[in-house]
Amino acid sequence: MRHLLDTKSLARRDALRILDVAEDMADTQRREVKKLPTLRGKTVVNLFFEDSTRTRISFEAAAKRLSADVINFSAKGSSVSKGESLQDTAQTLQAMGADAVVIRHGASGAPRTLATSGWISAGVVNAGDGTHEHPTQALLDAFTIRKRRFGGDSRGRDLAGAKVTIVGDILHSRVARSNVWLLETLGAEVTLVAPPTLVPQDVSAWPARVLYDLDEAIADGPDALMMLRIQLERMTAAYFPTEREYSRRWGLDALRLAALAPDSIVMHPGPMNRGLEISAEAADSPRSTVLEQVANGVSVRMAALYLLLAGADEATPPSQDSPTDKTDATEGSTR
Ligand code: NCD
C-alpha cells in the first residue's frame, strides 16, 4: 500500500490486512510499555487544514507509539493562511524529508491531488477531505463492529451478514461515505436513515438502502446503529425545521435506545452533539462504543502507518511475543 486515500477503491484484501494488523497493534497497546521501535527514523507530518481534535491526536499517538518523529502542521497560524498553496506546502514538507503525510482538508479530493501530483514522495493518508471520505474512521468503525461481533480474536473475519444502520446528516458526512463503501466490501448490509433533505442526490448509486423513519429502522434489528453528528458548519441552508424537531424524529433518545436488541451497539464518530442526534443516556450507556472507537482508532492508525511506511506485503507486523520488540520497547521506556 502506497497511500490510503479512500475506502471506495480499497481492496477487500487490503482492508482485512489493515484490520488484522490493527489487532496486533491493539495487543501491543495492552502492554505496560506501549511504544514499538518499528518506525524509528521515519517522519510523519500531520497536515491539518480543518479543525480536528480526536483524529489529529489519534494519528499523533499512533505515529509516536511506533517511534516515528511527528510534525504537527495546522493551517491556522501557518503560511497557508497567508495564501500559500497546497503545492508550496507539499514541496516544503518534501524538502523536510516527510515519509508520510496525514492530511485533513476542506476540499474533497485534496489528499488524492497530493498523492498523485508528484510534489512529494511521501505516502499520503486521508484524514478527512470535505464531504468525500474519511477512510481511517470507517476502518476503526469496522474494527469496533468486528471486535464486538466475534470477541477475542477476530482476525481474518469479515462482516458478512452484519446489519449496520447509519443515521443523520448523511449529506455532509465523509464518515458515512467511507463506511458505506467499506461495509459493502466487508459484506455488511447498510441502511441509511435521514430526513429527505439530508440524503445525498446520488444515493441510489450507493450500496445501501434508505429509510426516512428511525423507528422503522430500529424495529429492523440493526447490529450497529451509527449516529452521525449534525454538521452545522457545513450547512448553508435550513435542512430541518428546528433542532428540537430533528431530535424528536431522528435523535437516539432513551425510548429508542430501549427498543434496540440487547446485543446491538450504538456508535458515534465524535464529536457528539448531546441532546441533538444522541441523548446523554444513549451516549453513556453500556451499548455505546464511543470510547472504544477512540481507542481502536489508535490501533487502526498504527496499522495504516505501519503498512504504508514499513510494510511491503511481506513485512511482518510486530507480534506480542517477539523478543526484539520487547527489548526495543524496554529501551523506549528509558527515554
Ligand atoms: C468526523 C469528521 O471530522 O469527519 N469526526 C472525526 O473524524 N472524529 C465526523 C464529524 O466531524 O462529525
Side-chain angles (χ1 to χ4, degrees), residues 12 15-16 19-20 142 145-147 149-150 154-162 182-188:
R12 179 188 150 86
L16 287 173
L19 297 180
D20 290 353
I145 297 168
R146 190 171 83 157
K147 264 256 159 306
R149 200 167 165 80
F150 300 108
S154 50
R155 286 175 182 81
R157 319 279 299 249
D158 66 12
L159 298 179
L182 181 63
L183 288 167
E184 124 112 330
T185 301
L186 296 176

Side-chain angles (χ1 to χ4, degrees), residues 289-335:
T289 57
V290 172
L291 294 176
E292 257 167 76
Q293 288 168 266
V294 174
N296 292 338
V298 178
S299 305
V300 163
R301 289 171 177 127
M302 286 173 77
L305 290 173
Y306 167 79
L307 289 169
L308 244 61
L309 290 176
D313 273 348
E314 59 284 359
T316 333
S319 78
Q320 179 141 29
D321 296 312
S322 141
T324 28
D325 286 336
K326 276 212 170 129
T327 318
D328 277 315
T330 319
E331 263 170 38
S333 71
T334 57
R335 273 183 302 219

Side-chain angles (χ1 to χ4, degrees), residues 18-239:
I18 296 170
L19 297 180
D20 290 353
V21 172
E23 297 258 2
D24 297 339
M25 295 301 179
D27 287 346
T28 69
Q29 296 309 293
R30 281 188 279 275
R31 299 180 193 168
E32 202 178 326
V33 177
K34 298 183 172 55
K35 196 152 170 158
L36 302 170
T38 323
L39 296 185
R40 193 177 281 165
K42 303 277 189 191
T43 299
V44 175
V45 178
N46 276 329
L47 182 58
F48 277 64
F49 294 89
E50 263 192 0
D51 290 339
S52 163
T53 314
R54 75 202 71 212
T55 304
R56 192 185 55 72
I57 295 175
S58 181
F59 271 108
E60 183 171 351
K64 285 185 170 163
R65 287 186 191 168
L66 292 169
S67 302
D69 293 321
V70 181
I71 298 173
N72 286 314
F73 184 112
S74 72
K76 276 186 197 142
S78 73
S79 305
V80 172
S81 56
K82 299 179 194 157
E84 192 176 51
S85 68
L86 183 60
Q87 175 174 2
D88 291 327
T89 307
Q91 285 169 333
T92 304
L93 300 179
Q94 172 71 14
M96 285 177 186
D99 296 293
V101 177
V102 176
I103 177 173
R104 169 166 288 199
H105 201 288
S108 300
R112 180 168 296 278
T113 303
L114 193 62
T116 55
S117 58
W119 301 326
I120 54 168
S121 55
V124 176
V125 182
N126 180 1
D129 61 331
T131 58
H132 174 231
E133 282 229 28
H134 191 355
T136 57
Q137 178 69 44
L139 285 158
L140 76 87
D141 290 335
F143 184 91
T144 304
I145 297 168
R146 190 171 83 157
K147 264 256 159 306
R148 281 286 185 124
R149 200 167 165 80
F150 300 108
D153 188 352
S154 50
R155 286 175 182 81
R157 319 279 299 249
D158 66 12
L159 298 179
K163 292 206 262 181
V164 181
T165 298
I166 306 177
V167 186
D169 188 355
I170 313 283
L171 181 65
H172 300 105
S173 180
R174 50 199 179 203
V175 174
R177 285 172 181 75
S178 282
N179 262 291
V180 163
W181 301 117
L182 181 63
L183 288 167
E184 124 112 330
T185 301
L186 296 176
E189 290 166 31
V190 183
T191 303
L192 305 173
V193 184
T197 48
L198 290 176
V199 174
Q201 288 206 321
D202 62 344
V203 82
S204 56
W206 298 13
R209 134 183 109 131
V210 181
L211 294 178
Y212 302 101
D213 185 321
L214 181 52
D215 295 306
E216 183 188 344
I218 288 177
D220 191 40
D223 298 294
L225 191 63
M226 186 183 297
M227 306 307 296
L228 297 175
R229 184 174 66 90
I230 287 291
Q231 303 198 16
L232 294 167
E233 79 280 16
R234 293 190 207 276
M235 293 193 179
T236 49
Y239 289 90

